[in-house]
């Protein structure tokens, strides 16, 4: 079953205006002395030293999100929003191809996704207002309306907010972290800010495609080592009991609670198995692609299957070509050669992830969103290359590129119990401006929170000055991307 979703809604004043003007203190009490250095090096920064502030709430449906991030911004015209009828100075060399959804076309760079277009919905009218990578990423992931680039974000991103709120619910018995970044997004572009580093991501920084890939300090395989660690924890607890009479703040009780979670992460076989890609058969690993991107997304699927709620995975590095991201200025690369270089791996990994979400029965609770912070300019520019490499001519070569373009871009959504096979919104004939159903960062964030069961319209979190701060300032869930 397919559905084409096109409904004009230009009456919103914010959208209309935009279209007119586009532009622990908790002491370790001897942890290090007792040989628990492993805890200090856990990749989830300090999360196990935080205090629970509210009792467990009523049980809710367990949902998860995988966000596949394309840092630098994928050209929407060369991917999900082709414009074959425009002039050669805009359209690029890639031909549109039909998908398994009548009337929906992608470019020839994504034949595998074209075969499963009924399993995702394309949002072609996403926009934001920040022209730079830092501000653009911050705006999309946290809702900060500021358009200038800053050295660090002001507001926490949606991933940290969701992790924070889930931690306050309590009662979670899964040994795995609840927020994992499989190859994290650039840390200067997002973060937990005033929530504290304890609500940052658990980072998987190693290449999952390496034969000896492993995640440090997760799931000790040596039973004797696990027993020795447990003995040391028991000794430390006995010593701490002698100090409880002096612990007026009750900090040691909080340490006990989160220390138990740390021990579970470190020694529980379930945690180790979730990160162990050798548990997957060779055919599955081949289907995702025997490269970093393919194995990143396979690991992301394993993690949500094991109960992790928030997973991000940044597709960057050597598989992108010379500049290691999607920032396809002409000075950086020959955009069309770069896209030819990277898109086969991208197409294979993303299509395998989406297919697996449905084939394994995860599609009702796991939402997949694939996005960058913005698109690329409709008009092709030409500049001299600043360096040769994959997807770029030698220094001084005149080559084509596209620059930053926040006015309109595309992303795709799959799973999450949504009606798929549709198209939401539209850009103009050159892919330059939104002409149907403009969706801004607030709509993006509301949609994500809604899927996770978070009341985006009412929830506030105190900032560093104790002021209640809304997690979404404006916006509402995109109806077609909400559970049906």
């Amino acid at each position: 079953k397919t559905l084409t979703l096109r409904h004009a809604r230009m009456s919103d004043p914010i959208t209309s205006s935009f279209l007119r003007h586009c532009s622990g203190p908790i002491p370790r009490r001897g942890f290090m002395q007792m040989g628990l250095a492993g805890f200090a090096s856990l990749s989830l920064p300090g999360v196990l030293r935080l205090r629970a502030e509210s009792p467990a709430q009523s049980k809710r449906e367990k949902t998860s999100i995988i966000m596949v991030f394309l840092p630098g911004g994928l050209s929407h015209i060369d991917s999900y929003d082709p414009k074959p009828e425009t002039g050669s100075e805009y359209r690029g060399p890639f031909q549109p191809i039909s998908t398994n959804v009548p009337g929906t076309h992608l470019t020839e760079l994504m034949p595998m996704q074209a075969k499963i277009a009924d399993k995702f919905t394309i949002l072609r009218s996403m926009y934001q207002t920040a022209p730079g990578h830092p501000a653009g990423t911050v705006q999309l992931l946290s809702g900060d309306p500021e358009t200038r680039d800053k050295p660090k974000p002001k507001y926490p991103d949606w991933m940290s907010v969701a992790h924070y709120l889930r931690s306050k619910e309590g009662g979670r018995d899964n040994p795995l972290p609840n927020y994992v970044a499989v190859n994290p997004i650039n840390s200067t572009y997002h973060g937990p800010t005033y929530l504290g580093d304890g609500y940052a991501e658990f980072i998987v920084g190693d290449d999952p495609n390496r034969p000896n890939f492993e995640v440090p300090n997760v799931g000790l395989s040596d039973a004797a080592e696990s027993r020795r660690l447990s003995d040391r924890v028991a000794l430390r607890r006995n010593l701490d009991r002698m100090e409880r009479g002096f612990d007026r703040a009750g900090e040691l009780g909080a340490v006990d609670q989160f220390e138990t979670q740390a021990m579970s992460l470190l020694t529980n076989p379930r945690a180790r198995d979730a990160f162990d890609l050798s548990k997957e058969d060779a055919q599955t690993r081949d289907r995702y692609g025997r490269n970093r991107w393919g194995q990143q997304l396979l690991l992301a699927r394993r993690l949500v299957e094991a109960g992790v709620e928030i997973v991000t995975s940044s597709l960057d590095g050597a598989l992108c070509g010379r500049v290691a991201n999607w920032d396809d200025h002409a000075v950086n690369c020959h955009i069309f050669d770069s896209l030819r270089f990277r898109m086969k791996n991208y197409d294979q990994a993303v299509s395998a992830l989406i297919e697996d979400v449905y084939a394994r029965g995860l599609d009702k609770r796991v939402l997949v969103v694939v996005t960058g912070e913005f698109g690329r300019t409709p008009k092709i520019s030409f500049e001299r290359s600043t360096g040769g490499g994959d997807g770029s001519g030698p220094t001084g070569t005149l080559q084509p590129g596209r620059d930053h373009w926040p006015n309109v871009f595309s992303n795709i959504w799959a799973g999450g119990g949504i009606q798929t096979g549709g198209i939401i919104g539209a850009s103009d004939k050159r892919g330059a401006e939104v002409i149907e159903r403009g969706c801004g960062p607030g709509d993006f964030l509301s949609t994500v929170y809604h899927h996770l069961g978070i009341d985006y319209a009412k929830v506030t979190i105190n900032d560093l000055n104790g002021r209640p701060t809304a997690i979404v300032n404006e916006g509402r869930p995109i109806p077609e991307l909400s559970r049906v």
Side-chain angles (χ1 to χ4, degrees), residues 272-338:
R272 183 176 66 250
D273 289 349
F275 289 98
D276 188 357
L277 289 179
S278 69
K279 302 289 184 182
E280 296 288 337
D281 61 72
Q283 183 178 8
T284 298
R285 298 193 69 176
D286 290 343
R287 186 161 51 83
Y288 275 80
R290 292 283 187 155
N291 55 66
R292 181 161 193 162
W293 291 356
Q295 302 308 295
Q296 281 180 203
L297 298 196
L298 175 55
L299 181 55
R301 189 268 286 165
R302 285 186 63 83
L303 290 172
V304 294
E305 206 164 28
V308 177
E309 291 189 61
I310 306 151
V311 180
T312 65
S313 190
S314 183
L315 302 189
D316 55 17
L319 293 178
C320 267
R322 181 202 164 209
V323 292
N325 54 41
W326 300 73
D327 194 23
D328 292 337
H329 301 285
V331 294
N332 288 341
C333 62
H334 184 302
I335 181 173
F336 306 124
D337 287 350
S338 285

Side-chain angles (χ1 to χ4, degrees), residues 52-192:
E53 294 180 355
S54 64
Q57 298 175 2
S58 58
K59 289 186 176 180
R60 59 177 181 82
E61 183 180 8
K62 292 183 178 180
T63 53
S64 299
I65 291 183
I66 298 172
M67 183 177 71
V68 181
F69 197 70
L70 312 178
L74 169 63
S75 167
H76 53 295
I77 293 172
D78 298 304
S79 58
Y80 297 105
D81 193 9
K83 302 294 181 180
E85 304 303 321
T86 61
S88 58
E89 68 271 34
Y90 292 92
R91 66 172 177 259
F94 306 119
Q95 298 302 309
I97 58 172
S98 298
T99 69
N100 68 347
V101 177
T104 296
H105 296 83
L106 308 178
T107 70
E108 61 187 273
L109 294 171
M110 298 183 292
M112 300 181 79
Q113 289 182 55
K115 293 178 181 178
I116 61 163
D118 59 322
K119 290 182 169 58
F120 59 84
T121 285
I122 306 171
L123 174 56
R124 285 180 171 169
S125 55
M126 191 76 212
Y127 72 85
Q128 47 97 347
T129 59
H133 299 295
T137 305
V138 164
Q139 193 172 127
L140 184 69
L141 300 184
S142 75
D144 186 348
E146 183 65 63
T147 59
R148 64 184 179 89
D149 291 337
K150 293 176 286 190
K152 60 182 180 179
K154 178 180 180 181
Y155 300 107
D157 56 52
W158 71 261
M159 304 86 78
S160 300
V161 169
H163 179 35
Y164 171 86
L165 295 174
R166 290 292 170 255
S167 298
K168 298 308 173 188
E169 290 180 2
R172 187 173 183 270
D173 58 3
N174 193 323
L176 290 163
N178 204 37
Y179 170 21
V180 179
V182 184
N183 191 32
I185 302 167
N186 188 316
S187 61
T188 63
Y189 297 175
H190 77 107

Side-chain angles (χ1 to χ4, degrees), residues 45-47 50 156 160 163-164 191-201 462 464:
V47 68
L50 295 168
S160 300
H163 179 35
Y164 171 86
T193 64
Y194 50 74
L195 297 180
D197 285 344
Y199 295 102
E201 67 269 61
N462 289 348
L464 291 174

